[in-house]
Amino acid sequence: MNTGNQPLRAGGLAADHEVLWVPPREAWARTRMGDYLDWVAREQGYAFADYPELWRWSVDDLPAFWASIWNYFDVPAYSQPTAILTDADRMPDARWFPGARLNYAQAVLRMPGLADGDTAVIAHSQTRRPVHYTVAELRDQVARARRGLRELGVGRGDRVAAYLPNIPETLVLMLATASLGAIFTSCPPEFGARSVIDRLGQIEPKVLVVVDGYRYGARSIDRSADVDEIRSALTGLAHLVQLPYLHPTAPPMSGASSWHELLGRAGEFTFEPVPFEHPLYVLYSSGTTGLPKPIVHGHGGILLEHLKSIALHHDLGPGDRFLWFTTTGWMMWNYLVSGLAVGSAVVLFDGDPGYPDLTGLWELAATTHTSYLGTSAPFLLACRKSGLSPKTAVDLSALRGLGSTGAPLPAAGYRWVYDEVAADIYFASISGGTDLCTAFLGGAPLLPVRAGVMACRALGADVQSIDEEGWPVLGREGELVISKPMPSMPVGLWGDVERVRYRETYFGAIPGLWRHGDWITIAEDGSCVIGGRSDATLNRGGVRLGTAEFYGVVDAMPEIRDSLVIHLSDNDSGADELILFIDLEEGRDLDLALRQRIAARLRAELSPRHVPDEIHQVPEIPRTLSGKKLEIPVKQILRGARPETVTAAGVLADAEALRPFVELRERRSGAAGSAARDHRKL
C-alpha cells in the first residue's frame, strides 16, 4: 500500500457540470474568506491568487496554516503554544498546539462583534413558546448553570449528560459543563431508553439533565418511563435534574431536582483553563452496526476547526443568524452552536420540520430572518418532489446562504435550489462526519456552484482519492482518505486508553491514512463528488457501482419517493443479485410498466449492470434519525441477521421500517431452490 506524497494517476474526467452560481465580483472584498486572504498576505506575507492556491498551502504547510487560524481569530488563551504541530508524519500520534491552555466555552461566549443587548439565541419549538436570549442573558444563564453544577460536585473530567432536545437549555448546559473542564454529552429525547443507555452507559455521567417529554408535530410524547429506566441503568449517576418541558407546571419526578433550582443563583463568569486536547464532549457513531462508538473531541481542535469552517466556508459573522435543522444526537448540533464563536446568532428548532407541511422550515427561516439555513439532502429532495417553491411561499430576503448534508445531493436538487429558493444564493452541499465533527468537503464563497458537485476540499483537510494500490488519483473514483492530521480528529474513543480501538477504526485498513468509508471522485480543479459508502458498494462482475449515482437516477423519477439498493454476492455460490427497494408516492403501485421504466432509465443513464434483478415496493425506506439510509443493516438482514443485532431501534426514524426486509428474507429462504422469485408487493 502506497502512502505519503505519491505521483497522481489521472483518469478521464466526467463531463462538465452545469454552473448555477458564480461569486459576484466583490466577493473577495465582502466575504470573510477574502478578508482572511488579505490578512494572510498583510500579516504573514503569503499571497494567493485563488482558492486552489490557498487550499494547497493549507495542506502543504499545516503549522503555518493553523497558526494563521489561531492568530486571525485571536483565540483567547491562558498560555500560548510552544509549537503548532509535532509528529505530523506519525498520524494518528500527531499533537496539536502543545503547551496551549484555553477553554472552548470562553471562546464561544466571547461572541465577537456583538454587544450585551444583541440577540444571541432564537429558539422555536412545537412544545412551547419561542425563547430569545441576548448576549448578556446567555452569559448569565451559563454562569448560573456553572455554579449549579459546581454545587452538585461537578469538576474537571466529570461527565454531564443531557437527554434534551435542541433548545437553549441544552446549549447553556454544554457551555457551563465545558467552562468547568467537565465533559458534555447528549442524546435527543426521540431516542428510546435502550439507545440512551447504550451510549451514556459507556461514559458513566455524574449528572443527567432530562425533559419529561416533548411534542413532535401534532403528537405529544411522554418520556417519564424512559427516564426512570435510564437512571436505573446508569451506574455512578449522582444527580438527576429535570427540565419541565412537556408539562411545564408539573413537579419534578421522584428523586430529581429541577432545572430552575440548578440555575437558582447567580454565578461567576469564569472558565477553567485546560490543555488544547482536553476532552470537551463525547459524540457517538450511529450504532447501525453495533454498540455506538463514544468519540471524544477536544476543546482546541473543535474550536479551531469550527472557527475556520463556519466563518470562512459558510461566510458567517456578526449580524448573521445561523440555523441548521438538527437534533442533539447529530454532530450538526455541536457544529451549529459554534456559530456563536464567530459572532453569529444561532437559531434553534425543536420539532417536525415537515409539520404541518414542508413549508414549515422555510417559514421559520423567514420569521427569524435567518442568514444561513442548513438542512439535509432528503429534505430538499422531498421539497422538490412536492412541487414546493419556497421563494413564492415565504419571504426569504434575509437568506443568503443554504447548506445541505447527510447524503449526496444529485444535480436535480441543486437546480431546484436555484429555481425555487433563490437564483443568487450561495449554496453548498457539504460532507464530513461525527468522527471529525466537521465538513471536510463543501463550498467556498469564492468558488462557483455547479450542479451535483461539491466545490472544494476544505482548508486544512488533505482529502485524497486513492485506487486499489494506494495511489492518489484524479478524475476517477477511489477510496476517500485524509492523508494528513487535522486538529478536530478525535482525542480518542472513551475507555480506549491505549488507543487500540481508535487505530483499528480509522487507520487499520490503510496504515498511515484516515479511511473515511466513502467513494470519492476528485476533479483536477479540486471539486468533488461522493459516490456512496465504500462498505456498501455494488460490485457486479468486477465493476464497482456507486450507490449515489444509482439513487440520483431512481429518486429523480416522479413516481418514486425514496429508494434503497442492495447488492448480494457470494463468491462460493456465485450469487450476484442487485435488489432495488422503492417507496412510491401515495396512490402509486409497482406494476410492470413502472418496472420497465425503472430498468430502461438505469440502463440508459448508467449501464446495463445497474438494472436490478428484483424490484420491491416497501412502505418506507429505513433511515437513521439524521436521514442516512441503512444500506449495510438491510444487507445483513437479507443475509440472515436479526434486526436487533445490526442496528438499535432508537437510531431509526421508524423502527417498523425494517419489518418488510425481514419478511422478504423469510420468503426468500422458504423459496430457496426455486427458479422463480417472488416479486409481489411487500
Side-chain angles (χ1 to χ4, degrees):
M1 186 66 64
N2 295 296
T3 61
N5 294 320
Q6 302 285 4
L8 289 171
R9 292 181 174 181
L13 293 175
D16 289 343
H17 293 255
E18 177 187 359
V19 176
L20 300 172
W21 179 83
V22 176
R25 291 181 179 178
E26 66 273 15
W28 192 298
R30 296 181 60 180
T31 62
R32 298 203 72 178
M33 185 171 283
D35 184 74
Y36 166 74
L37 281 162
D38 288 341
W39 181 90
V40 167
R42 183 176 65 252
E43 300 293 331
Q44 299 192 203
Y46 296 108
F48 305 106
D50 52 24
Y51 183 86
E53 283 190 11
L54 174 62
W55 178 82
R56 174 49 59 193
W57 169 72
S58 78
V59 297
D60 282 351
D61 194 344
L62 291 175
F65 170 69
W66 287 107
S68 78
I69 296 298
W70 177 279
N71 293 320
Y72 176 73
F73 288 103
D74 190 24
V75 171
Y78 295 91
S79 62
Q80 294 296 316
T82 56
I84 303 302
L85 175 62
T86 62
D87 295 321
D89 58 348
R90 293 180 54 206
M91 193 163 60
D93 296 320
R95 189 180 176 200
W96 290 97
F97 292 83
R101 293 165 73 242
L102 74 169
N103 191 287
Y104 167 86
Q106 180 182 19
V108 168
L109 288 167
R110 182 176 55 166
M111 293 178 274
L114 299 182
D116 283 354
D118 290 339
T119 297
V121 179
I122 305 169
H124 283 240
S125 164
Q126 291 169 350
T127 306
R128 67 181 181 191
R129 294 179 181 275
V131 175
H132 289 221
Y133 285 165
T134 65
V135 168
E137 288 168 341
L138 177 59
R139 289 170 176 162
D140 176 65
Q141 290 283 296
V142 172
R144 288 173 177 272
R146 183 182 196 275
R147 176 171 181 165
L149 290 174
R150 284 190 63 188
E151 291 176 351
L152 294 180
V154 174
R156 186 165 168 160
D158 289 329
R159 278 77 66 203
V160 174
Y163 188 43
L164 300 173
N166 182 15
I167 54 178
E169 291 88 344
T170 316
L171 169 59
V172 166
L173 183 67
M174 185 270 282
L175 293 173
T177 301
S179 76
L180 292 165
I183 304 165
F184 178 80
T185 194
S186 61
C187 292
E190 57 262 34
F191 280 11
R194 183 71 261 160
S195 294
V196 177
I197 294 166
D198 284 347
R199 289 160 172 78
L200 302 188
Q202 297 184 67
I203 68 163
E204 299 182 313
K206 176 179 281 190
V207 176
L208 173 63
V209 183
V210 304
V211 290
D212 52 348
Y214 62 99
R215 287 183 62 84
Y216 189 79
R219 293 184 296 143
S220 292
I221 301 169
D222 190 283
R223 284 304 192 198
S224 301
D226 295 87
V227 170
D228 280 336
E229 185 177 347
I230 292 164
R231 69 170 167 178
S232 296
L234 295 179
T235 59
L237 183 65
H239 302 282
L240 180 70
V241 179
Q242 182 180 337
L243 170 69
Y245 190 57
L246 182 61
H247 305 292
T249 60
M253 62 184 62
S254 176
S257 58
S258 74
W259 175 261
H260 302 299
E261 291 177 75
L262 185 73
L263 271 65
R265 292 196 284 175
E268 292 183 326
F269 192 62
T270 57
F271 305 89
E272 174 76 9
V274 296
F276 188 89
E277 70 276 9
H278 184 78
L280 168 63
Y281 42 58
V282 179
L283 305 183
Y284 304 92
S285 63
S286 62
T288 56
T289 55
L291 200 64
K293 295 190 298 292
I295 303 165
V296 184
H297 287 288
H299 278 244
I302 287 297
L303 175 61
L304 283 191
E305 175 58 39
H306 288 182
L307 287 170
K308 176 213 74 178
S309 189
I310 295 170
L312 303 187
H313 284 278
H314 294 297
D315 195 33
L316 287 166
D320 285 315
R321 293 185 173 183
F322 184 29
L323 162 63
W324 205 294
F325 174 74
T326 181
T327 75
T328 56
W330 190 17
M331 58 135 294
M332 290 310 299
W333 182 84
N334 305 77
Y335 190 81
L336 165 65
V337 298
S338 284
L340 293 165
V342 304
S344 292
V346 294
V347 181
L348 312 180
F349 174 65
D350 173 39
D352 180 356
Y355 178 82
D357 55 46
L358 291 169
T359 309
L361 193 60
W362 304 102
E363 288 179 341
L364 176 63
T367 300
T368 57
H369 305 289
T370 288
S371 310
Y372 196 104
L373 169 64
T375 181
S376 66
F379 178 79
L380 294 177
L381 293 174
C383 290
R384 173 180 174 268
K385 284 243 176 162
S386 73
L388 180 64
S389 178
K391 69 180 182 182
T392 59
V394 297
D395 178 9
L396 295 175
S397 56
L399 191 68
R400 59 184 184 84
L402 181 67
S404 171
T405 191
L409 185 70
Y414 282 70
R415 296 188 189 99
W416 177 84
V417 166
Y418 283 94
D419 289 342
E420 304 299 342
V421 179
D424 59 351
I425 201 167
Y426 165 48
F427 174 69
S429 177
I430 66 174
S431 182
T434 302
D435 309 271
L436 291 98
C437 198
T438 192
F440 44 72
L441 304 172
L446 303 181
L447 293 175
V449 176
R450 291 183 290 161
V453 176
M454 286 177 283
C456 62
R457 292 168 282 186
L459 296 175
D462 195 8
V463 175
Q464 302 290 342
S465 174
I466 62 170
D467 64 16
E468 293 83 355
E469 298 176 5
W471 292 96
V473 295
L474 288 178
R476 56 192 178 94
E477 194 171 69
E479 183 88 36
L480 190 161
V481 300
I482 302 175
S483 63
K484 294 179 181 178
M486 293 176 63
S488 69
M489 285 178 174
V491 173
L493 302 179
W494 190 265
D496 182 30
V497 178
E498 301 298 325
R499 305 187 91 203
V500 173
R501 189 182 179 198
Y502 178 75
R503 293 173 186 276
E504 290 176 350
T505 299
Y506 302 113
F507 302 94
I510 313 173
L513 298 177
W514 171 291
R515 176 182 179 269
H516 198 68
D518 284 327
W519 296 120
I520 186 173
T521 302
I522 303 174
E524 291 178 348
D525 65 359
S527 60
C528 307
V529 175
I530 292 289
R533 294 292 300 172
S534 58
D535 47 10
T537 303
L538 318 175
N539 194 328
R540 308 196 79 189
V543 178
R544 191 172 66 218
L545 314 177
T547 56
E549 62 180 358
F550 197 100
Y551 297 138
V553 173
V554 174
D555 292 352
M557 298 180 68
E559 307 94 332
I560 299 175
R561 181 183 293 129
D562 203 357
S563 65
L564 183 75
V565 63
I566 301 295
H567 182 223
L568 295 178
S569 61
D570 187 328
N571 291 333
D572 294 332
S573 67
D576 183 14
E577 295 179 286
L578 195 63
I579 306 175
L580 172 63
F581 299 95
I582 55 175
D583 173 15
L584 294 177
E585 295 291 346
E586 192 168 348
R588 299 304 302 262
D589 285 307
L590 179 59
D591 55 20
L592 180 60
L594 180 55
R595 293 176 191 276
Q596 292 174 338
R597 284 200 301 277
I598 293 171
R601 183 76 66 89
L602 288 167
R603 184 179 290 108
E605 297 192 26
L606 297 177
S607 79
R609 293 181 184 272
H610 287 79
V611 177
D613 298 293
E614 299 183 11
I615 304 176
H616 295 274
Q617 182 179 350
V618 293
E620 182 181 4
I621 298 300
R623 289 180 178 268
T624 65
L625 290 165
S626 59
K628 292 182 172 60
K629 299 184 184 187
L630 270 69
E631 295 166 321
I632 298 171
V634 168
K635 187 175 190 177
Q636 292 172 324
I637 287 170
L638 294 177
R639 283 177 166 170
R642 298 191 309 275
E644 62 270 20
T645 66
V646 298
T647 188
V651 307
L652 302 179
D654 182 356
E656 290 299 307
L658 291 176
R659 185 183 299 277
F661 301 94
V662 176
E663 294 172 354
L664 175 62
R665 180 195 70 206
E666 292 171 350
R667 290 209 306 273
R668 286 166 61 90
S669 298
S674 172
R677 291 296 188 191
D678 183 2
H679 288 257
R680 293 172 299 176
K681 175 181 174 181
L682 295 184

